């Protein structure tokens, strides 16, 4: 059931509401992202197929497969870091970030490391990646994933993102923000009622501080990707509008490899910066995965 007091408040902004509700109550498909630092998509597909797993390619990404057979985490290929079990929607922010070998990149909120290890594989382990995670109990999983996937260009730090030191500037920053996580409701059924208003308000205040620091840490001409796994406009378009009102950031139009919804420019009594229509909203019924929001911003080159 989708609770009337929670997610139903999005009824006017989520297209094909009935399909959305149906998708939210179906189990989340298991997908794996091939770690190209360790193996090719063909290696992984052949090895797992020989072991009896059924792998279905995801049309819009050659590194992604849907796995129909349970227990893929128990294979030697998983332990060797040849793939990472990751929701398809969670691979999109790094795709939009487009990391390049040799760059200097900050992943400001990194644990457990799904996107950090993806960034490192796009960088082909060249350049410097800072994986920041302030919550101590989440750091072991981040470090374990970095080791398991053979990531060699990464240093782990533990600052609160909003006070990350300003000693260095980055070519790209990913802020995959702490959020109310409503888009993960297919694996966490307690979220089907949506997040509480007080949690959303608290998180959006934190996100506003984080996005300002993330932007300030960019080199001129640098790129910031802001992503969440929630539907709440206060945490998505609201946070991006806050940055646009405080800094000279440029917001890019996002194009994904499948049709996605645009950011919304008004919600209840709130109006957001009109440019936020360039952001992307992804819903579970549109790609049979979780939900999310992505914005890509640039700092003007001087
Ligand atoms: N990017 C990660 C991945 O793909 O595996 C998921 C990140 S999760 C959505 C958000 C993370 O932000 C959590 O690990 C949380 O502990 C961390 N976090 C919480 N408060 C933070 C803060 N003030 N600064 C930076 N990160 C914070």
């Amino acid at each position: 059931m989708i609770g009337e007091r929670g997610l139903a408040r999005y009824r006017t902004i989520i297209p094909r509401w009935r399909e959305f509700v149906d998708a939210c109550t179906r189990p989340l498909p298991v997908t794996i992202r091939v770690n190209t630092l360790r193996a090719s998509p063909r290696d992984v597909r052949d090895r797992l197929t020989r072991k009896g797993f059924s792998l279905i390619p995801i049309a819009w990404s050659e590194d992604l497969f849907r796995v129909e057979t349970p227990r893929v985490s128990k294979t030697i290929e998983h332990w060797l870091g040849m793939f990472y079990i990751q929701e398809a929607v969670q691979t999109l922010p790094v795709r939009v970030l487009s990391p390049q070998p040799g760059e200097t990149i900050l992943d400001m909120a990194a644990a457990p490391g799904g996107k950090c290890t993806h960034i490192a594989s796009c960088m082909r382990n060249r350049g410097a990646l800072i994986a920041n995670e302030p919550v101590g109990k989440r750091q072991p999983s981040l470090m374990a994933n970095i080791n398991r996937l053979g990531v060699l260009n990464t240093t782990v730090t533990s600052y609160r993102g909003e006070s990350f030191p300003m000693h260095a500037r980055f070519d790209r920053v990913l802020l995959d923000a702490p959020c109310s996580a409503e888009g993960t409701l297919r694996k966490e059924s307690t979220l089907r009622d949506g997040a509480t208003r007080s949690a959303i308000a608290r998180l959006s205040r934190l996100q506003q501080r984080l996005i300002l620091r993330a932007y300030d840490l960019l080199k001129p001409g640098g790129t910031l990707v802001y992503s969440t796994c929630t539907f709440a406009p206060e945490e998505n378009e609201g946070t991006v509008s806050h940055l646009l009102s405080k800094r000279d950031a440029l917001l890019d139009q996002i194009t994904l490899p499948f049709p996605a919804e645009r950011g919304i420019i008004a919600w209840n009594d709130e109006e957001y910066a009109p440019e936020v229509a360039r952001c992307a909203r992804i819903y579970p019924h549109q790609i049979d995965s979780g939900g999310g929001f992505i914005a890509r911003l640039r700092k003007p080159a001087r």
Side-chain angles (χ1 to χ4, degrees):
M1 272 289 288
I2 298 291
E4 283 301 311
R5 69 191 162 83
L7 291 183
R9 77 187 185 116
Y10 305 132
R11 195 186 274 269
T12 55
I13 56 171
I14 298 185
R16 306 197 311 277
W17 176 255
R18 218 40 265 167
E19 285 174 45
F20 167 76
V21 172
D22 289 348
C24 291
T25 47
R26 283 198 297 274
L28 185 67
V30 174
T31 45
I32 61 172
R33 174 180 54 78
V34 173
N35 173 27
T36 52
L37 294 175
R38 291 273 205 227
S40 69
R42 170 182 270 194
D43 290 338
V44 170
R45 190 194 58 203
D46 290 352
R47 290 178 68 128
L48 292 180
T49 304
R50 278 200 299 276
K51 291 185 169 174
F53 289 93
S54 165
L55 266 64
I56 300 168
I58 304 266
W60 47 268
S61 172
E62 61 179 21
D63 298 349
L64 274 183
F65 294 95
R66 180 171 171 154
V67 184
E68 296 286 294
T69 331
R71 300 171 72 83
V72 74
S73 64
K74 306 288 182 214
T75 57
I76 188 77
E77 287 77 9
H78 184 248
W79 290 335
L80 290 174
M82 292 182 172
F83 61 87
Y84 189 96
I85 300 171
Q86 190 170 31
E87 284 179 49
V89 68
Q90 296 297 334
T91 64
L92 294 167
V94 173
R95 226 184 138 103
V96 171
L97 185 69
S98 190
Q100 302 297 317
E103 290 183 332
T104 303
I105 300 185
L106 170 65
D107 181 356
M108 190 178 248
K115 297 184 189 68
C116 152
T117 54
H118 191 184
I119 294 171
S121 73
C122 296
M123 297 172 83
R124 285 186 249 126
N125 257 340
R126 300 212 297 270
L129 173 56
I130 307 299
N132 183 65
E133 173 55 54
V135 177
K137 65 176 192 278
R138 291 179 62 86
Q139 286 162 358
S141 60
L142 172 62
M143 289 193 256
N145 283 321
I146 286 172
N147 285 333
R148 183 173 64 82
L149 272 75
V151 170
L152 300 173
N153 68 338
T154 299
T155 298
V156 175
T157 58
S158 59
Y159 298 104
R160 294 180 61 82
E162 62 274 36
S163 46
F164 192 92
M166 298 284 285
H167 303 316
R169 295 291 190 277
F170 295 89
D171 296 300
R172 296 176 206 261
V173 176
L174 175 65
L175 172 53
D176 185 41
C179 70
S180 54
E182 293 170 332
T184 65
L185 79 178
R186 290 178 76 180
K187 60 181 181 195
E188 188 49 76
S189 59
T190 54
L191 289 165
R192 284 190 191 150
D193 269 337
T196 63
R197 304 294 162 87
S198 61
I200 290 174
R202 178 180 52 78
L203 285 160
S204 70
R205 286 193 297 275
L206 173 61
Q207 291 153 355
Q208 290 182 4
R209 295 198 298 276
L210 288 169
I211 202 170
L212 289 178
R213 191 61 153 201
Y215 182 79
D216 290 344
L217 284 160
L218 289 175
K219 293 177 183 171
T223 300
L224 165 64
V225 167
Y226 175 79
S227 57
T228 72
C229 56
T230 197
F231 307 118
E234 300 91 329
E235 299 181 58
N236 293 330
E237 290 87 351
T239 305
V240 174
S241 293
H242 179 75
L243 174 67
L244 294 174
S245 72
K246 299 282 182 196
R247 299 289 190 273
D248 55 355
L250 307 167
L251 186 58
D252 287 339
Q253 175 76 50
I254 293 192
T255 314
L256 295 177
F258 50 82
E261 298 304 313
R262 290 159 171 250
I264 57 164
I265 55 174
W267 161 250
N268 291 348
D269 295 332
E270 290 293 319
E271 290 200 355
Y272 301 118
E275 304 96 294
V276 298
R278 298 176 194 154
C279 306
R281 288 184 153 257
I282 305 115
Y283 295 116
H285 55 309
Q286 295 175 322
I287 58 164
D288 196 10
S289 184
F293 171 88
I294 310 176
R296 185 174 61 212
L297 298 127
R298 273 174 304 113
K299 187 178 264 194
R302 303 228 191 278

